[in-house]
Amino acid sequence: MEIYFITVIIIFIFSCMATYFGEKKDIKNNIQIKNNRFFIFLTVLWLVLISGLRWQVGTDYWQYSLNYQRYTYQFFNDLLTYSEPGIKFIAWFSEVFYDDYATMFFISSLITIGLFVITISKYSNMYTFSMLLFIFIGVWHGSFNGVKQYLACAILLAGHRHIISKSFVKYLLIVLLAGTFHYSALGMIILYFVPSKILKIRHIILLMFVSFAVIYSYDYIFELIENIKADSFAITQYVTREVNLLRILVNFAPLIVYFTITNKSKLSKEDLFYVNLLFINAAFALATSQSAYLARFLIYTNAFAILGIPRLINIKDKYLKFLLTMIIVILYAVFWYIDVSKTSALVNFQWIFNRN
């Protein structure tokens, strides 16, 4: 766990320095900060080095390494058939650049983390807070496992501003690009229709109703997935395993902050988009609570919590705001520690240099 603790400390320092040395603009007494690029670069560099130079870290690590050779020669065929050619392109490029599955992991980490951190630095109104959430929510270490899906997620997050600007065609192209890494990203076209207004009680009730309807429709959903994925999908124990209750509660926790602390009158349309995605994320958590396989869809909406949660802490009293921020960080840090320490594929970190 030592490398993870060191990473938290270093990312906290780099993110604070990025804000401290950033360019400050006073737009009608609303201070906006353009974070320092040098410290953003250092943040990306550190996170990529840890992620990209890992060995046997992540549940699916060995499966990706075993698939590497197959990926390299399937790229051109799968590009024509749109069969998730994204990861195969990275593998093909890795073979040309330096033929080793470790190169594929490094390039994947560079793209994923680079897109995440740069997007966070641009659009978070509390950069340090968001970077800590990036780690504590589980997005960073999650990318050690679901390599393809987190690549797709990073692309969607990087292109999500086309939703806010209501550029459907541009966002559609982003979704299609993300889909080249993981088919599930295609379903995220629905994010375009997330409203930028305060949800009423009837909307929240509707979300809950849809969530329960999904739970009772698993048989139809699994049948649909089986038809799409053919021989690559089977009803296993993992598919039907219930999600840990703590994970579900963590996804509902931001809503408690929203209803008890957030000043709704100060939320802009942009803020409301991110806040409403927290509701969508909670609904997804409930809807997929009976299937660990389906719960992987949360990867996409959970990433938006990195930008959404800071917008909930919009109270005027700066001391109370700091206190609440610290409480939230500490609670997520506890969740992160439990998550990592209980996962054998993560806790025993090894460097690629230790490979025999």
Side-chain angles (χ1 to χ4, degrees):
M1 288 288 292
E2 290 83 1
I3 189 63
Y4 299 122
F5 292 138
I6 293 171
T7 295
V8 170
I9 294 170
I10 288 178
I11 296 310
F12 174 74
I13 294 172
F14 284 165
S15 60
C16 286
M17 298 297 279
T19 300
Y20 182 80
F21 290 105
E23 297 180 17
K24 298 176 177 60
K25 295 182 179 179
D26 187 344
I27 302 178
K28 295 182 180 179
N29 296 319
N30 180 22
I31 305 299
Q32 295 186 355
I33 300 174
K34 183 179 181 181
N35 296 297
N36 184 278
R37 291 182 179 179
F38 175 70
F39 287 103
I40 293 172
F41 167 75
L42 291 181
T43 300
V44 172
L45 179 63
W46 180 268
L47 292 173
V48 168
L49 288 177
I50 304 300
S51 175
L53 298 178
R54 72 189 190 278
W55 182 52
Q56 298 186 47
V57 181
T59 309
D60 291 345
Y61 186 93
W62 276 121
Q63 190 59 54
Y64 277 102
S65 61
L66 291 172
N67 289 342
Y68 170 69
Q69 290 297 332
R70 178 170 60 86
Y71 284 162
T72 58
Y73 63 75
Q74 282 186 334
F75 165 57
F76 290 104
N77 180 67
D78 288 353
L79 177 63
L80 296 175
T81 58
Y82 193 72
S83 301
E84 297 183 345
I87 189 66
K88 284 115 181 180
F89 169 75
I90 293 176
W92 173 79
F93 182 79
S94 300
E95 183 184 40
V96 174
F97 184 74
Y98 185 81
D99 192 9
D100 193 315
Y101 66 78
T103 312
M104 176 183 68
F105 280 114
F106 189 87
I107 295 174
S108 298
S109 297
L110 179 62
I111 297 171
T112 303
I113 295 170
L115 288 176
F116 269 122
V117 176
I118 291 172
T119 303
I120 293 168
S121 71
K122 285 183 178 180
Y123 303 119
S124 174
N125 59 346
M126 298 174 69
Y127 177 60
T128 299
F129 187 19
S130 287
M131 284 308 304
L132 291 175
L133 289 174
F134 175 62
I135 296 175
F136 292 151
I137 283 178
V139 176
W140 179 55
H141 73 255
S143 68
F144 295 2
N145 180 29
V147 175
K148 294 190 299 181
Q149 202 164 2
Y150 274 95
L151 275 162
C153 179
I155 292 170
L156 286 174
L157 188 70
H160 80 277
R161 299 297 290 190
H162 295 309
I163 300 176
I164 295 174
S165 64
K166 292 302 176 185
S167 302
F168 180 77
V169 174
K170 291 181 179 179
Y171 180 65
L172 175 62
L173 292 175
I174 291 295
V175 170
L176 291 174
L177 177 60
T180 65
F181 287 95
H182 205 278
Y183 284 140
S184 61
L186 298 178
M188 293 304 105
I189 192 65
I190 64 173
L191 298 185
Y192 184 83
F193 304 101
V194 173
S196 297
K197 59 182 180 180
I198 294 178
L199 296 181
K200 299 185 182 300
I201 295 298
R202 66 174 182 273
H203 298 137
I204 298 171
I205 293 174
L206 178 61
L207 276 175
M208 292 180 63
F209 175 79
V210 171
S211 297
F212 281 111
V214 170
I215 292 176
Y216 290 102
S217 304
Y218 278 6
D219 290 341
Y220 301 104
I221 295 172
F222 292 148
E223 183 178 350
L224 176 62
I225 295 174
E226 192 172 11
N227 291 333
I228 294 174
K229 303 193 74 171
D231 297 333
S232 62
F233 178 77
I235 306 297
T236 63
Q237 185 180 2
Y238 170 71
V239 171
T240 57
R241 189 180 72 204
E242 293 183 8
V243 177
N244 187 293
L245 179 60
L246 177 61
R247 290 186 178 276
I248 300 172
L249 294 176
V250 165
N251 288 300
F252 273 87
L255 304 188
I256 298 175
V257 178
Y258 172 77
F259 286 117
T260 60
I261 296 170
T262 304
N263 187 338
K264 282 73 169 181
S265 63
K266 289 187 176 181
L267 293 172
S268 65
K269 284 189 175 182
E270 182 177 314
D271 293 333
L272 286 169
F273 168 76
Y274 293 112
V275 170
N276 289 343
L277 271 170
L278 295 174
F279 280 90
I280 301 295
N281 187 54
F284 271 30
L286 179 60
T288 61
S289 60
Q290 305 300 303
S291 171
Y293 178 82
L294 293 179
R296 292 173 69 91
F297 277 95
L298 276 172
I299 287 174
Y300 301 112
T301 53
N302 206 25
F304 282 95
I306 298 168
L307 301 174
I309 293 175
R311 286 175 160 80
L312 299 177
I313 316 299
N314 63 349
I315 54 180
K316 189 174 182 179
D317 189 324
K318 63 179 182 180
Y319 298 107
L320 181 57
K321 182 175 183 177
F322 175 78
L323 177 62
L324 290 171
T325 301
M326 289 300 99
I327 292 173
I328 292 172
V329 167
I330 291 170
L331 291 175
Y332 272 106
V334 171
F335 165 74
W336 166 79
Y337 176 77
I338 294 172
D339 190 28
V340 175
S341 63
K342 298 292 185 181
T343 308
S344 59
L346 291 173
V347 69
N348 299 314
F349 187 89
Q350 298 181 83
W351 295 98
I352 191 65
F353 313 111
N354 298 329
R355 181 177 59 177
N356 296 325

